Amino acid sequence: MRIGYPTHNYKAHITMLSWTLTFLVIAIIAAVLGFGGIAGTAAGIAKILFVISLILLVISLLSGVIRGRSS
């Protein structure tokens, strides 16, 4: 039995990671320009979105294993 990505949540993970990268880029640009408050806030949002994305990925993978689906 081969375990793969469940197709029902794959796009949600990609979307979440793209938002994480967007806020990370905003944080880096704001830090380079000297906007410390905005950089800290954007970095905090990026961290939160990354953790949420990882949690959703683990839940999705576990539900796929429990259900016995294979791609």
Side-chain angles (χ1 to χ4, degrees):
M1 180 161 94
R2 193 175 122 187
I3 299 172
Y5 290 109
T7 57
H8 61 279
N9 283 335
Y10 183 69
K11 288 185 181 182
H13 294 301
I14 297 298
T15 303
M16 186 72 71
L17 287 175
S18 69
W19 277 105
T20 302
L21 290 175
T22 301
F23 279 107
L24 181 63
V25 169
I26 290 171
I28 291 170
I29 291 171
V32 167
L33 295 177
F35 298 110
I38 295 172
T41 302
I45 292 171
K47 287 178 189 177
I48 291 169
L49 289 176
F50 183 71
V51 170
I52 291 171
S53 176
L54 285 179
I55 291 170
L56 290 175
L57 176 66
V58 168
I59 291 171
S60 178
L61 289 175
L62 288 176
S63 68
V65 168
I66 290 171
R67 289 182 185 173
R69 288 187 176 176
S70 62
S71 297

